[in-house]
């Protein structure tokens, strides 16, 4: 009985149809606006559009790459001014929109975003993080970075908090944020 409760039926007795309408009338205004299932005039398409809107709003409010910092760093690579101007033109006034079936969002200006679909974006990001240094062994894989500290068995002093502070300072100076939800720590021992 319960498993079929949410399926509509064309053979509802008249009183059940009236009760359903009244229930909807009283319940609908109180339901979470992010609930798209089993609701009139809502579908999975509406849910996807809402998700994309949330993501685009988040991306719009947190610029990913400060182009001024990037170009300051690129200028240290002896790249010709002509090539830098071409790349600046490539990055500026970029827009994006989302299409789901026949629904199309309005264009949004991209501030600080790196273009997807070419190697220019990842290569520019590598330049941006190339000077990341914290005073300890550091390994980078695009936007993933591993800090290491080797502590001898007889030593109890660790400097990892200093290295993390250096990382946070670098991130702030370069307009970046550390994703703490993806940050992990580990301890390994040989004995």
């Amino acid at each position: 009985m319960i498993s079929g409760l949410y399926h509509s039926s064309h053979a509802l007795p008249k009183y059940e149809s009236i009760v359903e309408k009244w229930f909807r009338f009283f319940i609908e205004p109180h339901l979470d606006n992010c609930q798209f299932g089993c609701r009139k005039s809502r579908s999975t398409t509406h849910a996807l559009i809402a998700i994309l809107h949330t993501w685009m709003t988040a991306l719009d409010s947190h610029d990913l790459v400060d182009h001024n910092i990037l170009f300051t760093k690129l200028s240290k690579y002896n790249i010709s001014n002509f090539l830098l101007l071409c790349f600046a033109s490539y990055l500026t006034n970029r827009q994006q929109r989302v299409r789901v079936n026949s629904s199309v969002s309005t264009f949004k200006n991209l501030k600080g975003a790196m273009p997807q679909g070419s190697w220019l974006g990842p290569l520019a990001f590598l330049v941006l993080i190339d000077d990341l240094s914290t005073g300890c062994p550091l390994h980078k894989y695009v936007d993933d970075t591993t800090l290491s500290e080797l502590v001898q068995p007889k030593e109890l002093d660790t400097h990892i908090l200093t290295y993390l502070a250096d990382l946070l300072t670098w991130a702030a100076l370069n307009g970046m944020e550390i994703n703490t939800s993806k940050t992990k720590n580990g301890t390994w021992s040989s004995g």
Side-chain angles (χ1 to χ4, degrees), residues 75-86:
S75 68
K76 296 175 184 174
Y77 283 80
N78 296 322
I79 299 172
S80 72
N81 285 339
F82 175 75
L83 194 53
L84 286 174
L85 288 171
C86 287

Side-chain angles (χ1 to χ4, degrees), residues 22 26 39 47 50 54 70 74 80 97 102 111 148 156 189:
W22 277 103
F26 286 105
R39 294 183 74 182
T54 300
L70 174 63
L74 280 170
S80 72
R97 69 180 178 174
S102 62
K111 296 178 283 180
S148 301
L156 296 178
S189 172

Side-chain angles (χ1 to χ4, degrees), residues 140-153:
K140 299 175 252 186
Y141 188 89
V142 190
D143 62 346
D144 291 327
T145 302
T146 301
L147 305 175
S148 301
E149 181 183 28
L150 303 175
V151 179
Q152 297 302 320

Side-chain angles (χ1 to χ4, degrees), residues 112-178:
M114 296 306 296
Q116 303 295 309
S118 84
W119 280 101
L120 285 174
L123 193 57
F125 189 79
L126 293 181
V127 168
L128 187 68
I129 66 166
D130 192 53
D131 65 350
L132 170 59
S133 176
T134 61
C136 70
L138 186 115
H139 298 86
K140 299 175 252 186
Y141 188 89
V142 190
D143 62 346
D144 291 327
T145 302
T146 301
L147 305 175
S148 301
E149 181 183 28
L150 303 175
V151 179
Q152 297 302 320
K154 294 181 183 179
E155 292 180 29
L156 296 178
D157 285 344
T158 177
H159 302 285
I160 198 70
L161 293 178
T162 302
Y163 303 142
L164 287 172
D166 292 345
L167 175 67
L168 292 172
T169 299
W170 180 93
L173 290 172
N174 287 275
M176 301 223 166
E177 294 180 10
I178 305 301

Side-chain angles (χ1 to χ4, degrees), residues 67 88-96 108-111:
H67 291 165
S89 174
Y90 175 70
L91 291 177
T92 55
N93 298 320
R94 297 187 69 84
Q95 295 182 324
Q96 143 178 336
K108 297 281 281 183
N109 290 325
L110 298 177
K111 296 178 283 180

